[in-house]
């Protein structure tokens, strides 16, 4: 069953993502689907949560996911900051020996709040478009936002072959009540909000220094 979608694009403008309670009911809302750009109807009522539904077409199934992507990208572009997780490596399990404690560990990256010099979306990189490309002191970081579909093995391999530092932001737990302020708090802290227990939502897909660190501890 599809989650009721509370988001639409006002005047079909991707920079004007609005919630259903911000517009008038019916077709007069002048909103469109964030995914397929079909005309939406704002449904206000008492029996269900207020939501948007497609007008004269089947639900494309991607409205909510696309809206959350847009929200997260907007926050990153505007705020230019997010908390990155730590990355540690330890001796590979196949090298462990019974009766010893010679398991070495190395911290590749510490958990830290990073304020970027600039953050961009819709950047073409060799035929692909990462969700976000952020830069700090000349070093680039790709940010991939996951709501429903995780990164494909093909994309992960593309990232690794090019040695691109990349993190994944997991927003699959986000629900109907999400708004920009919630996304801001999540990215600033690197953890889920309004949920117990809280958990990390950012993890490393690839870091250029990880392979060398792994070789050292092995």
């Amino acid at each position: 069953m599809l989650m009721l979608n509370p988001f639409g694009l006002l005047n079909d403008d991707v920079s004007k993502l609005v919630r259903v309670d911000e517009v008038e009911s019916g077709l007069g809302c002048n909103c469109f689907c964030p995914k397929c750009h079909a005309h939406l109807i704002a449904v206000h009522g008492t029996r269900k949560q207020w939501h948007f539904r497609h007008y004269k077409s089947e639900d494309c199934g991607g409205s909510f996911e696309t809206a959350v992507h847009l929200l997260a990208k907007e926050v990153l572009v505007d705020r230019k900051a997010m908390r990155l997780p730590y990355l540690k490596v330890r001796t590979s399990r196949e090298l462990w020996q019974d009766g010893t404690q010679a398991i070495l560990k190395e911290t590749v990256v510490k958990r830290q709040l990073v304020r970027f010099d600039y953050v961009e979306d819709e950047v073409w990189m060799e035929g692909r478009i990462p969700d976000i490309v952020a830069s700090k002191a000349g070093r680039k970081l790709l940010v991939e936002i996951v709501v429903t579909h995780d990164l494909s093995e093909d994309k992960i391999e593309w990232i690794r072959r090019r040695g691109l530092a990349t993190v994944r932001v997991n927003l699959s737990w986000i629900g109907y009540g999400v708004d920009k302020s919630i996304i801001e708090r999540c990215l600033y802290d690197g953890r889920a909000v309004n949920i117990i227990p809280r958990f990390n939502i950012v993890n490393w897909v690839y870091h250029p220094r990880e392979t060398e660190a792994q070789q050292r501890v092995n």
Side-chain angles (χ1 to χ4, degrees):
M1 182 178 179
L2 293 174
M3 179 184 297
L4 294 179
N5 173 42
F7 296 107
L9 298 178
L10 187 63
N11 301 320
D12 205 17
D13 185 340
V14 294
S15 69
K16 296 180 179 177
L17 189 69
V18 294
R19 286 189 64 92
V20 67
D21 53 3
E22 297 178 282
V23 297
E24 64 179 89
S25 182
L27 278 173
C29 66
N30 197 30
C31 288
F32 296 79
C33 174
K35 173 70 174 180
C36 69
H37 297 277
H39 213 149
L40 297 177
I41 296 176
V43 180
H44 295 180
T46 57
R47 298 182 64 183
K48 286 185 177 181
Q49 289 176 314
W50 290 12
H51 63 282
F52 287 107
R53 65 177 175 83
H54 286 57
Y55 175 63
K56 290 188 176 180
S57 65
E58 293 293 326
D59 193 312
C60 68
S63 300
F64 183 75
E65 178 180 10
T66 301
V68 173
H69 264 94
L70 290 173
L71 272 177
K73 291 199 293 185
E74 182 180 339
V75 168
L76 284 168
V77 171
D78 288 349
R79 300 301 183 187
K80 295 180 176 60
M82 69 179 297
R83 193 171 299 276
L84 300 181
Y86 72 86
L87 176 61
K88 292 183 179 180
V89 295
R90 62 178 180 174
T91 307
S92 297
R93 182 175 290 274
E94 60 268 22
L95 299 178
W96 295 6
Q97 296 183 19
D98 291 341
T100 73
Q101 295 180 333
I103 298 173
L104 303 181
K105 299 179 181 179
E106 182 174 325
T107 299
V108 182
V109 182
K110 294 181 179 180
R111 188 172 188 267
Q112 57 189 310
L113 178 67
V114 178
R115 300 188 185 279
F116 299 104
D117 298 325
Y118 66 86
V119 177
E120 300 175 286
D121 65 351
E122 300 298 323
V123 176
W124 280 91
M125 297 182 68
E126 300 183 40
R128 291 181 181 266
I129 307 178
D131 287 333
I132 287 291
V133 177
S135 179
K136 176 73 172 180
R139 295 192 297 271
K140 290 185 177 180
L141 174 73
L142 307 190
V143 181
E144 295 291 342
I145 300 158
V146 172
V147 181
T148 303
H149 302 98
D150 203 353
L151 299 183
S152 67
E153 289 300 322
D154 177 65
K155 190 165 192 178
I156 293 175
E157 181 59 26
W158 178 84
I159 289 168
R160 289 180 175 276
R161 284 201 308 268
R162 286 156 181 79
L164 300 170
T166 305
V167 293
R168 175 195 290 109
V169 177
N170 172 23
L171 297 179
S172 62
W173 54 276
I174 287 288
Y176 175 93
V178 65
D179 59 19
K180 189 174 180 179
S181 65
I182 290 176
I183 299 291
E184 287 177 345
R185 289 163 57 198
C186 288
L187 293 176
Y188 188 85
D189 195 45
R191 297 190 295 172
V193 300
N194 298 344
I195 190 170
I196 296 176
R198 299 185 67 189
F199 54 87
N200 293 333
I201 64 166
V202 185
N203 70 281
W204 287 98
V205 175
Y206 177 78
H207 193 289
R209 297 202 303 269
E210 182 178 0
T211 300
E212 290 183 1
Q214 187 67 63
Q215 291 172 346
R216 282 193 294 271
V217 296
N218 282 351

